[in-house]
Amino acid sequence: MDRTHSPINSLMEQAAHIVRSQKAAAGTLESTEGYKRGQIKELIEFANANNLWISLTNLSVEFISKGGENEVYTGDKDDIVVKLNNFEYAGDDLENFFIRITVHNKFFSNVPYQMIGFAYNSLQEFCAVLVQPYILAEREATEDEIAAYMQALGFEMDYYDEYHNSDYEVFDAVPNNVLYGIDGDLYFIDTQIRLRI
C-alpha cells in the first residue's frame, strides 16, 4: 500500500488487527455470524475511543447512489468519492473486507481506497468510510479491455467478469465497475476480491 498515507494505512491496519483479534478470541465458540457482530462491536469501541467518527456534513459531499454495500457521495469539487461501506459483502467475517481493500490497493493502485473512519449510513448501519479519487471517465471500459488488463496483471479469466491468480479471485469486473479514463487508463472502481481457496 501507499505509505505516503501512513496515518490512513495505520487506521486500516489497526482496524484489521482488531477484527482478527476478536475472531481469534471468539475461537470456535461462536458462529461465524457471531464473529461479525463481535467484530463490529470492537470496531465501534475503537471508533469511540479514538474519535474516528466521520460526519458527512463536515466533508461537504453530495449523495450519488446506493448499492448493496455502499452509499456513494462526491464532493470537494468532484476530486473525491466517499463510500460508506456497510460490510455486507464481507460475509460473516469482516477480515474479508480488509483483505479486499488491501488487495484492491495492490492491483488497482491508480484508484486506491483510503479508510478515514467510521459512520452510520442512511439505514443506520455501521460503516467504514472509504475515500477514492474521482475519475474523469470518457466511458465505461469494455469487456475486452477489462480482460486484457487483468491478463496483463497475471490473472486468468473464469467468466467474462471473474478472474483469478494463484492467490486471489477478482469478480464483478463488469463495465460499470471499470472506467476508461480520459487519460486512456482503466480504473477498477468497485470490483469484489477474495482469497482463493
Side-chain angles (χ1 to χ4, degrees):
M1 289 189 335
D2 181 1
R3 293 295 171 190
T4 61
H5 297 91
S6 58
I8 292 167
N9 285 342
S10 177
L11 171 58
M12 189 144 56
E13 290 166 5
Q14 289 175 51
H17 176 74
I18 288 166
V19 162
R20 283 190 301 272
S21 297
Q22 195 286 325
K23 181 178 161 184
T28 58
L29 300 177
E30 289 191 53
S31 67
T32 53
E33 183 59 33
Y35 291 148
K36 188 173 185 177
R37 279 193 304 273
Q39 290 167 333
I40 287 173
K41 180 177 181 262
E42 291 292 324
L43 288 178
I44 290 170
E45 290 174 7
F46 174 62
N48 287 335
N50 294 283
N51 195 27
L52 297 173
W53 294 104
I54 302 294
S55 168
L56 293 182
T57 56
N58 292 340
L59 294 179
S60 300
V61 294
E62 295 180 16
F63 178 77
I64 299 176
S65 66
K66 181 175 181 351
E69 68 171 345
N70 289 310
E71 283 185 6
V72 183
Y73 300 80
T74 189
D76 290 344
K77 299 180 183 162
D78 292 336
D79 290 329
I80 62 168
V81 172
V82 177
K83 295 181 178 180
L84 272 58
N85 186 296
N86 66 7
F87 304 107
E88 178 69 25
Y89 296 167
D92 294 334
D93 183 354
L94 296 190
E95 188 172 9
N96 296 324
F97 167 82
F98 292 101
I99 290 168
R100 173 182 157 208
I101 299 303
T102 301
V103 175
H104 170 94
N105 288 351
K106 175 182 176 180
F107 288 111
F108 310 121
S109 60
N110 63 348
V111 61
Y113 284 109
Q114 298 173 5
M115 185 174 162
I116 61 170
F118 302 94
Y120 285 92
N121 66 16
S122 64
L123 299 175
Q124 295 305 304
E125 297 169 314
F126 177 70
C127 296
V129 181
L130 303 171
V131 176
Q132 281 183 298
Y134 184 90
I135 302 304
L136 295 175
E138 182 177 312
R139 57 179 169 78
E140 293 179 351
T142 66
E143 291 176 6
D144 289 341
E145 289 167 338
I146 294 168
Y149 191 97
M150 293 301 293
Q151 289 166 356
L153 289 176
F155 284 82
E156 295 178 34
M157 180 188 283
D158 296 317
Y159 302 101
Y160 82 97
D161 67 336
E162 295 184 18
Y163 302 85
H164 77 272
N165 67 12
S166 59
D167 298 316
Y168 304 106
E169 296 175 352
V170 176
F171 55 103
D172 206 16
V174 294
N176 67 327
N177 287 336
V178 184
L179 302 178
Y180 184 92
I182 60 172
D183 58 2
D185 285 341
L186 294 191
Y187 293 89
F188 288 67
I189 59 168
D190 195 26
T191 57
Q192 297 295 316
I193 303 170
R194 65 181 168 227
L195 288 172
R196 191 160 185 231
I197 299 173

